Amino acid sequence: MKKPDLGTIVGLILAFGLILIGNHLEGGHLSSVIQPTAALIVFGGTLGATMVGFPLDEFVRALKTVSLFFFTKAQDPAKVLEEIVRYAQIARREGIIALEEHVQKAQDPFFKKAFLMVVDGIDSKTIEQTLELEIHHAEEKGEIPAKVFEAAGGYCPTVGILGAVLGLIHVMSNLSDINAVGSGIAVAFVATIYGVGAANIVCLPAANKVKMKNKAEMQLYEMIMLGAIAIQQGENPKLIEQKLAVFAHGSGGHGKKGHAEAKKAA
Amino acid sequence: MKKPDLGTIVGLILAFGLILIGNHLEGGHLSSVIQPTAALIVFGGTLGATMVGFPLDEFVRALKTVSLFFFTKAQDPAKVLEEIVRYAQIARREGIIALEEHVQKAQDPFFKKAFLMVVDGIDSKTIEQTLELEIHHAEEKGEIPAKVFEAAGGYCPTVGILGAVLGLIHVMSNLSDINAVGSGIAVAFVATIYGVGAANIVCLPAANKVKMKNKAEMQLYEMIMLGAIAIQQGENPKLIEQKLAVFAHGSGGHGKKGHAEAKKAA
Amino acid sequence: MKKPDLGTIVGLILAFGLILIGNHLEGGHLSSVIQPTAALIVFGGTLGATMVGFPLDEFVRALKTVSLFFFTKAQDPAKVLEEIVRYAQIARREGIIALEEHVQKAQDPFFKKAFLMVVDGIDSKTIEQTLELEIHHAEEKGEIPAKVFEAAGGYCPTVGILGAVLGLIHVMSNLSDINAVGSGIAVAFVATIYGVGAANIVCLPAANKVKMKNKAEMQLYEMIMLGAIAIQQGENPKLIEQKLAVFAHGSGGHGKKGHAEAKKAA
Amino acid sequence: MKKPDLGTIVGLILAFGLILIGNHLEGGHLSSVIQPTAALIVFGGTLGATMVGFPLDEFVRALKTVSLFFFTKAQDPAKVLEEIVRYAQIARREGIIALEEHVQKAQDPFFKKAFLMVVDGIDSKTIEQTLELEIHHAEEKGEIPAKVFEAAGGYCPTVGILGAVLGLIHVMSNLSDINAVGSGIAVAFVATIYGVGAANIVCLPAANKVKMKNKAEMQLYEMIMLGAIAIQQGENPKLIEQKLAVFAHGSGGHGKKGHAEAKKAA
Amino acid sequence: MKKPDLGTIVGLILAFGLILIGNHLEGGHLSSVIQPTAALIVFGGTLGATMVGFPLDEFVRALKTVSLFFFTKAQDPAKVLEEIVRYAQIARREGIIALEEHVQKAQDPFFKKAFLMVVDGIDSKTIEQTLELEIHHAEEKGEIPAKVFEAAGGYCPTVGILGAVLGLIHVMSNLSDINAVGSGIAVAFVATIYGVGAANIVCLPAANKVKMKNKAEMQLYEMIMLGAIAIQQGENPKLIEQKLAVFAHGSGGHGKKGHAEAKKAA
């Protein structure tokens, strides 16, 4: 289920809101920073440069991940761990074949693929190789949208400067009227603001967020892989839980409970 | 077969088109950003610096990859996978020797080399070593044009600044006529625009695209290598397909089909 | 026990104090660098951008590590090593089971988890895998606050420039009164100072300190892991001390003592 | 035999020539960019900073590699491969001892050392360890001149800015005569040109070229090492040629020939 | 024995000397670049920021390595290799125990520790593990002062800009007297010079030199470790010399001599 990503939404509102309020308090007019031609130059140039830099399908895929930026679809690792432990218990009590009906109902395609291989009786080395290859590819694929945003965030400020210099060239051709010069320079500077702002408040943070969400998903996949292999090898459900707990809760703080459980299991 | 790379073409048109339209809407004249002497300084200086930085043959080879930038010649990994699976079926039914006539007709030199080694009965460890060495070298060789464009994109803006400062020095020698100063500065600024624009809209995106195409080709080679080794070891065609599917389709979404096939195969 | 981190406190006082004293001696007024609107733009924009760039819980966790920045809670590795050697002696004399009552009283959750696994009789390979997974996760988790501060330190100066350009746009609209222009530019420049100062005196150094403290903690964990495994394998307490000494005292200078002890132990 | 490095020579002529021609066409005088004091500040400061940054002997060694920059002394890998294949054939026909007289005549010290170890009957594991250690050291040693040029290229532009600011300080002390100010600024700007130009047209490209030549030499050494070990282990000359072909010709395009040869050899 | 580091001393004199001479020749007065308040802001701010960024003890340790910067205390690897070969000969002739009296007289703590372990009869795997742990820690510890200087060199120029902007703010408040403005700007610019100069002529080169000296010391330690293990395993002194020669003399050029010796040894 998708949940709105509060960090992104609140962050964008805070950043743009406070900057505009600050500008207003300093006596600046909102109208003086709204300039369609500067936007055309900066965003058009950045868009074009980014399209040049990436294969078209990757570029389109990156645009589609904009939703990833506003929504969180990541599964709760603690719940996935619970599911793995439940599978381990079923496999212990009723045999690995008994997992098949549960696996068929699984939502996540990676989870399903991993446990179908277990149910199919494929050996653990082949499972590990296949799933590691899959994780490796998913990780690289998931990084590309982050790289698209990063590249856009790199081109943006320099295209902003390009826009500003274009404006300044226009201004410089006629230096006699000092007030015209002033407002001309003001207009030129807006391109810089668009470039710097889009890079530092949108593109680079977006790249970072996509990267972090991708990393979290890969850790989930790694937990599923380790869990599937452990179940295939008939490991004790309690020990599986203790070993994978770090993926679900982070380190530390679970010593006591883990101890009691591991003791019963040993 | 070569296909035009739409991303590059549309991207370049968008970037330069929108920047020039924006400049026109702001009241700038196209003529004011066309200056052959600035172009001579910026592009000549960058060209020279890049030639200094690379062995001459690598520099020439990078210039030739400009076509790689406008055209896509990459093979469809899904089709190559189909071919590998077909080979695996032939090898199963008729023996590895039966592959020879098919291999002779293969287009891609890496594909041909890999399967000729299989047909020649060379052991799988030697095949893996030889092909890995080959992939490693092809990867490094394929990265060099990207490095040439990256280096050019690094020298470009600073040579642009050098050109602008040269212009400013000329202007500064005579500050008495304010309008002459203005247009002099305008002229000097064009060098900056050339440097920043060439770097951010052409060189750096080109470097990125060459890198990504090279990476995609290396993944194809890796799939071919894994496929050749698996066929040499007599693995089940269905399992080969399932294992290599990730190279052709990306991860996820194929659990169901793979499951049914793997079951029949096991 | 938490101890105040003198480096942070003295460093901040020195940096801000000497800069302000220098400014005062140059004839600058403190009031001219205190501008709430510039602060609103720079710190608000940076705060928002950083929130956009990180998952909300990681962002909140980073804010909480501000205490880590002013206080030192790290344990003395020499004392932890003493404890490990004491455990090794108990295990030698009275058997591993005799450790249980001591382990129950341990404060540090990682130390407790490691030795509980030893007491529970889990095999050393599983202990190593579980603890390495835990250290790996703790290391990545501990790096995130450093990355948050680093990102903030990266956005900060450019948002400062954005604030300055916003101010300059306002100034440029009215160039006729030269003194108004001067003080307008002065006001605009304060945003730059806030951005550059917050990045270089607070955010980036903070990121570095968090990173170094995290690294020191991970080395402690590594020592605990190696100690727990050595005790589980019944190694000689003197040899354990000699091997782990490097974590507690750094390299060199202990040759003589270690020699005498190792000789007795061999 | 040393051959002049056309890339370096043509590149330097192109870069400096086109920049100066461009400057001339814009109306600038050559005399206005020739300023011994600016050169003293920029090149002296950079020279000193680079000496501070490196051990004296490494610094001197880097200065000596300037010839490496203008000349190419690299051996043709295809010829070295031919020699290795010839050695392999001799070793097959007449035994490894028969290689001794040929090895004594070898020019390249690494080639000689490698095959002397083979002739001396040292086991292949020791040969591999010794030669890998040697390659590793040669690689690190060969990278240092590149690092010296890179460091100089890093200090250069900032020392250029330092020189320009020094000039501006001098100009700013007397702002009353506008034309004197203009020419003063012009003079100050020359330091920037020297710094930016020396970095981007000489130092950084030189660092890159040294790096690439070093890498090519290391690949040659690696080929020699693999060849020596293969000969020591009595491998088939045809297979050695096929395996090492990638070092001499790059990948691909040799499938047909290699196939025919390998077949005869198998 | 400590020897003065000529590179550092000559480099600093050259850099500062030539810059000041260049400034003098351009007509600048030394007095105009000596400004205690700018120094207070730039060096005070940098000092504070660096203290914030590092644990206090590491910061203090880095300050103490300033002597490492002016003096060379590294041992000559060729002499250490001679000593190792002498030890190998003693161990061959008189047995490993005979080394004890020589080891007791050794100066270098790492050398002593390594050979004491050999004399104590500890197995070669434990020696390798212990010494590798020690080298790894010594390497990390030795890198920290370099990181302190690098961080200072990173904060320095931006604090210089901060100081310059503070000065400009002061100037901008009163633009009516053009000559006062000029000298005010001149004063403000000095902070930039301090920041850029301290970073590029002192801090960054110092960081580099500390890094390179640390690396050389680690290579010495590695040679000692390999030598100690080889002696413990009773290897031939000639072969040890040949294998470790690369640490003492660099690669190449010793083929002939090594050959003759190895032949006698085999």
Side-chain angles (χ1 to χ4, degrees):
Chain A
M1 209 190 68
K2 284 184 178 187
K3 284 188 307 182
D5 183 323
L6 281 179
T8 303
I9 296 163
V10 175
L12 284 176
I13 293 172
L14 267 184
F16 286 112
L18 295 179
I19 288 172
L20 291 177
I21 291 172
N23 186 40
H24 180 75
L25 293 176
E26 266 185 9
H29 298 286
L30 186 59
S31 65
S32 67
V33 293
I34 295 186
Q35 279 191 42
T37 57
L40 199 68
I41 291 175
V42 178
F43 302 130
T46 301
L47 188 85
T50 313
M51 279 183 76
V52 170
F54 289 88
L56 199 55
D57 53 336
E58 299 294 1
F59 178 75
V60 172
R61 201 163 58 82
L63 292 186
K64 283 180 188 158
T65 59
V66 166
S67 75
L68 190 69
F69 184 44
F70 284 104
F71 294 97
T72 294
K73 61 155 201 162
Q75 305 162 62
D76 179 3
K79 282 199 184 149
V80 178
L81 176 56
E82 264 177 38
E83 190 75 1
I84 291 172
V85 174
R86 200 168 64 87
Y87 274 43
Q89 290 163 341
I90 294 168
R92 268 237 153 162
R93 275 200 314 268
E94 310 168 33
I96 278 173
I97 293 301
L99 287 175
E100 180 151 13
E101 57 174 315
H102 299 90
V103 177
Q104 294 295 358
K105 282 178 244 149
Q107 298 293 321
D108 182 81
F110 185 85
F111 187 97
K112 198 168 183 173
K113 177 162 192 176
F115 282 99
L116 278 176
M117 290 178 86
V118 171
V119 169
D120 285 347
I122 293 170
D123 64 300
S124 67
K125 215 188 121 199
T126 304
I127 295 180
E128 193 175 359
Q129 278 180 352
T130 308
L131 295 183
E132 269 187 352
L133 213 59
E134 195 116 340
I135 291 176
H136 181 72
H137 270 78
E139 192 167 11
E140 288 210 332
K141 202 127 193 118
E143 286 266 302
I144 291 175
K147 282 184 187 162
V148 173
F149 289 124
E150 227 166 54
Y155 303 143
C156 223
T158 38
V159 179
I161 287 170
L162 196 153
V165 176
L166 275 177
L168 290 177
I169 287 174
H170 183 49
V171 171
M172 290 294 159
S173 321
N174 194 344
L175 281 182
S176 50
D177 177 358
I178 186 75
N179 268 325
V181 166
S183 61
I185 292 178
V187 166
F189 279 178
V190 171
T192 312
I193 288 185
Y194 285 0
V196 168
N200 283 281
I201 298 171
V202 181
C203 294
L204 297 178
N208 203 48
K209 183 156 273 177
V210 170
K211 239 189 254 174
M212 296 203 74
K213 285 188 178 173
N214 189 40
K215 207 167 183 181
E217 201 174 359
M218 290 312 115
Q219 288 193 338
L220 195 79
Y221 281 14
E222 211 190 320
M223 179 176 77
I224 292 170
M225 181 182 77
L226 291 177
I229 292 169
I231 289 174
Q232 201 260 9
Q233 295 181 329
E235 276 187 28
N236 181 307
K238 296 290 181 200
L239 275 175
I240 293 175
E241 188 175 8
Q242 194 180 5
K243 196 159 94 184
L244 300 184
V246 72
F247 289 102
H249 317 289
S251 71
H254 298 278
K256 194 65 180 280
K257 192 177 156 232
H259 173 54
E261 283 166 355
K263 227 171 166 179
K264 272 186 278 173
Chain B
M1 211 190 68
K2 284 184 176 185
K3 285 189 306 181
D5 183 322
L6 281 179
T8 303
I9 296 161
V10 175
L12 285 175
I13 293 171
L14 268 184
F16 286 111
L18 295 179
I19 289 172
L20 291 177
I21 291 173
N23 186 40
H24 180 76
L25 293 177
E26 265 186 10
H29 298 287
L30 186 58
S31 65
S32 67
V33 293
I34 295 188
Q35 279 191 42
T37 57
L40 197 70
I41 290 175
V42 178
F43 302 131
T46 301
L47 188 85
T50 313
M51 279 182 76
V52 170
F54 289 88
L56 198 56
D57 55 335
E58 300 293 1
F59 177 75
V60 172
R61 201 163 59 82
L63 292 187
K64 284 182 187 156
T65 59
V66 166
S67 75
L68 190 70
F69 183 44
F70 284 104
F71 293 97
T72 294
K73 59 154 203 162
Q75 305 162 63
D76 179 1
K79 282 197 184 150
V80 178
L81 177 55
E82 263 176 41
E83 191 75 0
I84 291 171
V85 173
R86 200 167 66 86
Y87 273 42
Q89 289 162 342
I90 294 169
R92 268 237 153 163
R93 275 198 315 267
E94 310 169 33
I96 278 174
I97 293 301
L99 286 175
E100 181 152 14
E101 57 175 312
H102 298 89
V103 177
Q104 294 295 358
K105 282 179 245 149
Q107 298 292 321
D108 182 82
F110 185 84
F111 187 96
K112 199 168 182 173
K113 175 162 194 177
F115 281 99
L116 278 176
M117 289 178 87
V118 171
V119 168
D120 285 347
I122 293 170
D123 64 301
S124 67
K125 216 188 121 198
T126 304
I127 295 180
E128 193 175 2
Q129 279 180 351
T130 307
L131 295 183
E132 269 186 352
L133 214 59
E134 195 117 341
I135 291 176
H136 180 71
H137 270 77
E139 193 167 12
E140 289 210 333
K141 201 124 194 121
E143 286 267 303
I144 291 175
K147 281 184 188 163
V148 173
F149 289 125
E150 228 166 54
Y155 303 143
C156 223
T158 38
V159 179
I161 287 170
L162 195 153
V165 176
L166 275 178
L168 290 176
I169 287 174
H170 183 49
V171 171
M172 290 295 159
S173 322
N174 193 343
L175 281 181
S176 50
D177 177 359
I178 186 76
N179 268 326
V181 165
S183 60
I185 292 178
V187 167
F189 279 179
V190 171
T192 312
I193 288 185
Y194 286 0
V196 168
N200 284 281
I201 299 171
V202 180
C203 294
L204 297 178
N208 203 48
K209 182 156 275 177
V210 170
K211 239 189 254 173
M212 297 203 73
K213 285 186 178 172
N214 189 41
K215 208 169 183 178
E217 201 174 358
M218 290 312 114
Q219 288 193 339
L220 196 79
Y221 280 14
E222 210 189 322
M223 180 176 77
I224 292 170
M225 181 182 78
L226 291 178
I229 292 168
I231 288 174
Q232 201 260 9
Q233 295 181 329
E235 276 188 26
N236 182 307
K238 296 289 181 202
L239 275 174
I240 293 175
E241 188 175 8
Q242 194 179 5
K243 198 158 93 184
L244 301 183
V246 73
F247 288 102
H249 317 290
S251 70
H254 298 276
K256 194 64 180 279
K257 192 178 156 234
H259 173 53
E261 283 167 356
K263 226 172 168 179
K264 272 187 280 174
Chain C
M1 212 190 67
K2 284 183 177 186
K3 284 188 307 181
D5 183 323
L6 281 179
T8 303
I9 296 163
V10 174
L12 285 175
I13 292 172
L14 267 185
F16 286 113
L18 294 179
I19 289 172
L20 291 177
I21 289 173
N23 185 41
H24 180 75
L25 293 177
E26 266 185 8
H29 298 287
L30 186 60
S31 64
S32 67
V33 294
I34 295 187
Q35 281 192 40
T37 57
L40 198 69
I41 290 175
V42 179
F43 302 129
T46 302
L47 188 85
T50 313
M51 280 183 76
V52 170
F54 288 88
L56 200 54
D57 54 336
E58 299 293 1
F59 178 75
V60 171
R61 201 163 59 83
L63 292 186
K64 284 181 189 158
T65 58
V66 166
S67 75
L68 190 69
F69 184 44
F70 284 105
F71 294 97
T72 294
K73 60 155 200 161
Q75 305 162 62
D76 179 3
K79 283 199 185 149
V80 178
L81 176 55
E82 263 176 41
E83 190 75 359
I84 291 172
V85 174
R86 202 168 63 87
Y87 273 43
Q89 290 162 341
I90 294 169
R92 270 236 151 163
R93 277 199 313 268
E94 311 169 31
I96 279 173
I97 293 300
L99 288 174
E100 180 151 14
E101 56 176 314
H102 299 89
V103 178
Q104 294 296 357
K105 281 177 244 150
Q107 297 292 323
D108 182 80
F110 185 84
F111 187 97
K112 198 169 183 171
K113 176 162 192 176
F115 282 98
L116 278 176
M117 290 177 86
V118 172
V119 168
D120 285 347
I122 294 170
D123 64 300
S124 67
K125 215 188 122 198
T126 305
I127 294 180
E128 193 175 359
Q129 278 180 351
T130 307
L131 295 183
E132 269 187 352
L133 214 60
E134 195 117 338
I135 291 176
H136 181 71
H137 270 78
E139 192 167 11
E140 289 211 331
K141 202 126 194 120
E143 286 267 302
I144 292 176
K147 281 185 186 161
V148 172
F149 288 123
E150 228 166 54
Y155 303 144
C156 223
T158 38
V159 179
I161 287 170
L162 195 153
V165 176
L166 275 177
L168 289 177
I169 288 174
H170 182 49
V171 171
M172 290 295 159
S173 322
N174 194 344
L175 281 182
S176 50
D177 177 358
I178 185 75
N179 268 326
V181 164
S183 59
I185 292 178
V187 166
F189 279 179
V190 171
T192 313
I193 288 185
Y194 286 0
V196 168
N200 283 281
I201 297 171
V202 180
C203 295
L204 297 178
N208 203 48
K209 182 156 274 178
V210 170
K211 239 189 251 173
M212 295 202 74
K213 286 187 176 172
N214 189 40
K215 208 168 182 180
E217 201 174 359
M218 290 312 115
Q219 288 193 340
L220 196 79
Y221 280 14
E222 211 189 320
M223 179 176 77
I224 292 170
M225 182 182 77
L226 291 177
I229 292 169
I231 289 174
Q232 201 259 8
Q233 295 180 330
E235 276 187 27
N236 182 305
K238 295 289 180 199
L239 275 175
I240 294 176
E241 188 175 7
Q242 193 180 6
K243 197 159 95 183
L244 301 184
V246 72
F247 288 102
H249 317 289
S251 70
H254 299 277
K256 193 66 180 281
K257 191 178 155 231
H259 174 53
E261 283 167 355
K263 226 170 167 183
K264 273 186 279 174
Chain D
M1 211 190 68
K2 283 182 176 188
K3 284 188 307 182
D5 184 322
L6 281 179
T8 302
I9 295 162
V10 175
L12 285 176
I13 292 171
L14 268 184
F16 286 111
L18 295 178
I19 288 172
L20 291 178
I21 290 173
N23 186 40
H24 180 76
L25 293 177
E26 266 185 9
H29 298 286
L30 184 61
S31 64
S32 68
V33 295
I34 294 187
Q35 279 191 42
T37 57
L40 198 70
I41 290 176
V42 178
F43 302 130
T46 301
L47 187 86
T50 313
M51 279 182 77
V52 170
F54 288 88
L56 199 55
D57 53 337
E58 300 293 2
F59 178 75
V60 171
R61 202 162 58 83
L63 292 187
K64 285 182 187 155
T65 59
V66 166
S67 74
L68 190 69
F69 184 43
F70 284 105
F71 293 97
T72 294
K73 59 153 203 162
Q75 306 162 62
D76 179 3
K79 281 196 186 151
V80 179
L81 177 55
E82 262 176 42
E83 190 75 0
I84 291 172
V85 174
R86 200 168 65 86
Y87 274 42
Q89 289 162 343
I90 294 168
R92 269 238 152 163
R93 275 198 316 267
E94 312 168 31
I96 279 175
I97 293 301
L99 287 175
E100 181 153 13
E101 56 175 314
H102 299 88
V103 178
Q104 294 296 358
K105 283 178 244 149
Q107 298 291 321
D108 183 81
F110 186 84
F111 187 97
K112 198 167 182 175
K113 176 162 194 176
F115 282 99
L116 278 176
M117 291 178 85
V118 172
V119 169
D120 285 346
I122 294 169
D123 64 300
S124 67
K125 216 188 122 199
T126 304
I127 295 179
E128 192 175 1
Q129 279 179 351
T130 307
L131 295 183
E132 269 187 352
L133 213 60
E134 195 117 339
I135 292 177
H136 180 70
H137 271 78
E139 192 167 11
E140 289 210 332
K141 201 123 193 123
E143 286 267 302
I144 291 176
K147 281 184 188 162
V148 172
F149 289 124
E150 227 167 54
Y155 303 143
C156 223
T158 39
V159 178
I161 287 170
L162 195 152
V165 177
L166 275 178
L168 291 176
I169 287 175
H170 182 50
V171 171
M172 289 295 159
S173 321
N174 194 344
L175 281 180
S176 49
D177 177 359
I178 186 75
N179 268 326
V181 165
S183 60
I185 293 178
V187 166
F189 278 179
V190 171
T192 312
I193 288 185
Y194 286 0
V196 168
N200 284 281
I201 298 171
V202 180
C203 294
L204 298 178
N208 203 47
K209 182 156 275 177
V210 170
K211 238 189 253 172
M212 296 202 73
K213 285 187 178 172
N214 189 40
K215 208 169 182 179
E217 201 175 358
M218 291 311 114
Q219 287 193 340
L220 195 80
Y221 281 13
E222 210 189 323
M223 180 177 78
I224 292 170
M225 181 183 76
L226 291 177
I229 292 169
I231 288 175
Q232 201 261 8
Q233 295 180 330
E235 277 188 26
N236 182 307
K238 296 290 181 200
L239 276 175
I240 293 175
E241 188 175 8
Q242 194 179 5
K243 198 158 94 183
L244 301 184
V246 73
F247 287 101
H249 317 290
S251 70
H254 299 276
K256 193 64 178 281
K257 188 175 158 237
H259 174 51
E261 283 167 357
K263 226 173 168 178
K264 272 186 280 173
Chain E
M1 210 190 69
K2 284 184 175 185
K3 284 189 307 182
D5 184 322
L6 281 179
T8 303
I9 295 163
V10 175
L12 285 175
I13 292 172
L14 269 184
F16 286 112
L18 295 179
I19 289 173
L20 291 177
I21 290 172
N23 186 41
H24 180 76
L25 293 177
E26 266 185 8
H29 298 286
L30 185 62
S31 65
S32 68
V33 293
I34 295 188
Q35 280 190 41
T37 56
L40 197 70
I41 290 176
V42 178
F43 302 129
T46 301
L47 187 86
T50 313
M51 279 183 77
V52 170
F54 288 87
L56 199 55
D57 53 338
E58 300 293 2
F59 178 75
V60 170
R61 201 162 59 82
L63 292 186
K64 284 182 187 155
T65 59
V66 166
S67 75
L68 190 69
F69 184 43
F70 284 104
F71 294 97
T72 294
K73 59 153 203 164
Q75 305 163 60
D76 178 3
K79 283 198 185 149
V80 179
L81 177 54
E82 263 176 42
E83 189 75 0
I84 291 172
V85 174
R86 200 168 64 85
Y87 274 43
Q89 290 162 341
I90 295 169
R92 269 237 153 163
R93 275 198 314 268
E94 311 169 31
I96 279 174
I97 293 301
L99 288 174
E100 181 152 14
E101 55 175 315
H102 299 89
V103 177
Q104 293 297 358
K105 282 178 244 150
Q107 298 292 321
D108 182 80
F110 185 84
F111 187 96
K112 198 168 183 173
K113 176 161 192 176
F115 282 98
L116 278 177
M117 290 178 85
V118 171
V119 169
D120 285 347
I122 294 170
D123 64 300
S124 68
K125 216 187 121 199
T126 304
I127 294 180
E128 193 175 1
Q129 279 179 351
T130 307
L131 295 183
E132 270 188 351
L133 214 60
E134 195 117 337
I135 291 176
H136 180 71
H137 270 77
E139 193 167 12
E140 289 210 331
K141 202 126 193 119
E143 286 267 302
I144 292 176
K147 282 185 186 161
V148 172
F149 289 124
E150 227 166 54
Y155 304 143
C156 222
T158 39
V159 179
I161 287 170
L162 194 153
V165 177
L166 275 178
L168 290 177
I169 287 175
H170 182 50
V171 170
M172 290 295 160
S173 321
N174 194 345
L175 280 181
S176 49
D177 177 359
I178 186 75
N179 268 325
V181 165
S183 60
I185 292 178
V187 166
F189 278 178
V190 172
T192 313
I193 287 185
Y194 286 0
V196 168
N200 283 280
I201 298 171
V202 180
C203 294
L204 297 179
N208 204 48
K209 182 155 275 178
V210 170
K211 239 189 253 173
M212 296 202 73
K213 286 188 177 172
N214 189 40
K215 209 169 181 179
E217 201 174 358
M218 290 312 114
Q219 287 192 341
L220 195 80
Y221 281 14
E222 211 189 321
M223 179 176 77
I224 293 170
M225 182 182 76
L226 291 177
I229 292 169
I231 289 174
Q232 201 261 7
Q233 294 180 331
E235 277 187 25
N236 182 306
K238 296 289 181 200
L239 276 175
I240 293 175
E241 188 174 9
Q242 194 179 7
K243 198 158 94 184
L244 300 184
V246 73
F247 288 101
H249 318 289
S251 70
H254 298 276
K256 193 66 178 280
K257 192 179 154 232
H259 174 52
E261 284 167 356
K263 226 171 169 180
K264 272 186 277 175

